[in-house]
Amino acid sequence: MTNYNAVLGRNTEDAPKNIGPYSQTVAYSHYNNFSAQLPIDPKTGELVVGGVKEQAEQCFKNIKTVVNSIDHIMNDIVKVTIYVKNIKDVDAIDEVYKTVFTNYLPTRTVVAVAALQMDALVQVDVLLSHGEGTIPDAPQSGDLIKLTNNTPSAPMSALSTQAVAFSHYNNLSTQLPIDPKSGRLVTGGVKEQAAQALKNIKAILESIDVPFDDIVKINIFLKNFSDIDAVNEVYTTFFPDSAIARAVAYVPARTVIAATALPMDALVQIEAVVSHGDGTPPQLVEDRHGLIIEANNTKNAPISPLSTQTVAFSHYNHISAQLPIDSKTGEMAVGGVKEQAAQCLKNIKEIIESVDHKMADVVKVNVFLKNIADVDAVNEAYTTFFPEGTPARTVVGVSALTGDALVQIDAVVSNAEGTPPVA
């Protein structure tokens, strides 16, 4: 494949491309990172007429259009994230979902959030394989076909697969605090629920012979943001997990997201991105060369004992969500949302440059806003860091952020090949 490991942003006129500086899809190495699709009719540039069911149909139509435009099929989707305005609308969305994925099921996350752009009721984000997923009978080097896995030791769903591995990553469905034996939420409060969610993740990983410390990124969704301290108490009993990880104090990259509601009225749910290949069967020893987890922190950006700023594995760097904190003062950046967005992106830039990369290597950006109406002000700062608007992007309105910040941003960055060589 030409430019196989190049950061490749692509757009089609047959899908919406009019509400922000982003590419519809950005391919790098073995994955396509998509921008979240709103229920916009590409012909009118407006939301489709109707309720949440019609909006969900339009989101998936837009995704299918983008997928087909790069010679892929919907079964190449590895992960789906559904952001919904009202958690009660999930049943109607699922009616549509079942018509989109009729045999193969990707991993899945569902979360209710405070607001979406254009006052939409639903927004859908996907991660797609690149190259090999469409041709299982003639895969490219490495025999990189999707591997799906479910274990009865963790909650099973008729709408998602617990883990889908492709190339060097395993993407897990978000785990609710469900006891797999009873199928119900565990008794107790948020600490007990956080422990169960992490136990479910551990059970899935053990079922595929993957150690817990192979997790490179964690996303925590909280119904009550004030519960974060209690969740962190539990979190630190799971990370670091092994003697080796404890020796180097390894913790994954992390993002914490405020939800207005979660499925089953849960208080917390947790998702994970996991390495695939560094000693994990079925890869052979000779196929594992250089595939180590590289965790890095720089003093030029805020450092947290609960997360690593960037965790690289294989061809990707996963960056922890950055708040608008000045690392020199430890305080929030002075000013409004524009200044705060600039500080978040400055922190990301410092982290990226500390591992010898450039902002042009960013493939995906996730923006979490306290006030969705602030997106235009954020874009003013954003375009100074991404003048070409290349990275795929998702924007979500949330009910709360740490320190009462107005914005939080995380990113996924290419690893190694994305940076052009010095002339």
Side-chain angles (χ1 to χ4, degrees):
M1 184 177 292
T2 304
N3 294 324
Y4 189 65
N5 283 333
V7 173
L8 178 61
R10 288 176 286 185
N11 295 289
T12 172
E13 293 181 358
D14 297 325
K17 180 65 179 74
N18 62 349
I19 58 166
Y22 60 80
S23 297
Q24 291 164 349
T25 177
V26 179
Y28 180 76
S29 184
H30 296 146
Y31 280 95
N32 280 285
N33 295 266
F34 271 47
S35 290
Q37 284 295 318
L38 287 160
I40 297 171
D41 182 334
K43 294 179 181 178
T44 66
E46 304 293 334
L47 292 185
V48 293
V49 176
V52 71
K53 188 173 180 181
E54 289 77 14
Q55 290 198 11
E57 287 173 346
Q58 188 64 50
C59 289
F60 282 108
K61 283 180 185 177
N62 292 341
I63 288 169
K64 187 174 183 180
T65 297
V66 179
V67 168
N68 292 162
S69 75
I70 56 173
D71 298 322
H72 275 259
I73 59 175
M74 291 294 279
N75 276 2
D76 291 341
I77 291 175
V78 172
K79 178 175 176 56
V80 175
T81 301
I82 299 172
Y83 296 99
V84 62
K85 189 76 181 295
N86 187 339
I87 199 71
K88 293 180 181 179
D89 285 340
V90 172
D91 288 343
I93 293 168
D94 285 345
E95 288 182 42
V96 177
Y97 193 86
K98 291 173 185 176
T99 68
V100 176
F101 300 104
T102 56
N103 47 19
Y104 158 75
L105 294 171
T107 65
R108 194 170 94 143
T109 294
V110 176
V111 57
V113 293
L116 297 169
Q117 290 185 86
M118 299 179 71
D119 203 26
L121 301 175
V122 62
Q123 172 177 268
V124 182
D125 199 354
V126 300
L127 179 67
L128 187 77
S129 68
H130 185 214
E132 298 83 349
T134 51
I135 46 174
D137 295 328
Q140 293 182 346
S141 61
D143 201 27
L144 301 176
I145 58 174
K146 292 197 300 293
L147 291 173
T148 60
N149 183 81
N150 287 295
T151 173
S153 299
M156 298 175 72
S157 170
L159 294 169
S160 63
T161 302
Q162 288 171 353
V164 178
F166 182 74
S167 183
H168 296 144
Y169 278 96
N170 259 300
N171 296 271
L172 271 59
S173 286
T174 296
Q175 291 301 301
L176 285 160
I178 297 171
D179 181 336
K181 294 179 181 178
S182 68
R184 298 178 180 177
L185 294 184
V186 293
T187 56
V190 71
K191 288 178 73 172
E192 290 77 12
Q193 290 198 12
Q196 186 63 51
L198 289 165
K199 285 178 185 175
N200 292 341
I201 290 172
K202 197 165 193 176
I204 294 168
L205 295 183
E206 288 176 348
S207 75
I208 52 177
D209 297 320
V210 175
F212 204 63
D213 285 320
D214 278 0
I215 294 174
V216 297
K217 177 71 191 293
I218 286 279
N219 292 323
I220 299 174
F221 300 87
L222 275 176
K223 185 177 179 184
N224 301 311
F225 205 72
S226 59
D227 284 339
I228 186 60
D229 290 340
V231 170
N232 284 340
E233 284 185 47
V234 176
Y235 192 82
T236 54
T237 67
F238 282 83
F239 296 102
D241 182 60
S242 67
I244 294 174
R246 286 192 294 273
V248 295
Y250 171 71
V251 286
R254 192 173 87 151
T255 296
V256 179
I257 302 152
T260 56
L262 296 171
M264 298 181 70
D265 201 28
L267 300 175
V268 61
Q269 67 178 12
I270 303 175
E271 71 176 1
V273 179
V274 187
S275 68
H276 180 61
D278 58 336
T280 303
Q283 281 212 338
L284 300 175
V285 173
E286 56 266 28
D287 294 329
R288 306 197 313 252
H289 177 69
L291 298 181
I292 58 174
I293 292 175
E294 296 178 348
N296 286 282
N297 289 297
T298 172
K299 64 181 181 181
N300 295 326
I303 294 175
S304 168
L306 295 167
S307 63
T308 302
Q309 289 170 352
T310 178
V311 179
F313 180 76
S314 186
H315 293 155
Y316 279 100
N317 280 289
H318 296 263
I319 295 183
S320 291
Q322 292 299 303
L323 288 160
I325 296 173
D326 184 329
S327 61
K328 294 178 181 177
T329 65
E331 303 293 332
M332 290 280 178
V334 176
V337 70
K338 183 177 176 180
E339 290 76 15
Q340 288 199 12
Q343 186 64 55
C344 292
L345 291 164
K346 284 177 186 176
N347 292 341
I348 288 172
K349 187 171 187 282
E350 290 287 356
I351 294 167
I352 288 172
E353 291 179 350
S354 76
V355 291
D356 298 322
H357 275 260
K358 301 177 182 178
M359 291 295 274
D361 295 338
V362 175
V363 295
K364 179 69 186 282
V365 174
N366 296 300
V367 180
F368 303 95
L369 279 172
K370 186 79 180 291
N371 185 348
I372 200 72
D374 285 340
V375 68
D376 289 339
V378 169
N379 283 342
E380 290 183 41
Y382 188 89
T383 51
T384 66
F385 288 85
F386 301 108
E388 303 299 323
T390 299
R393 194 174 80 159
T394 295
V395 177
V396 176
V398 294
S399 55
L401 290 167
T402 300
D404 205 27
L406 301 175
V407 61
Q408 168 183 275
I409 303 176
D410 72 14
V412 181
V413 187
S414 68
N415 188 28
E417 297 85 348
T419 304
V422 177

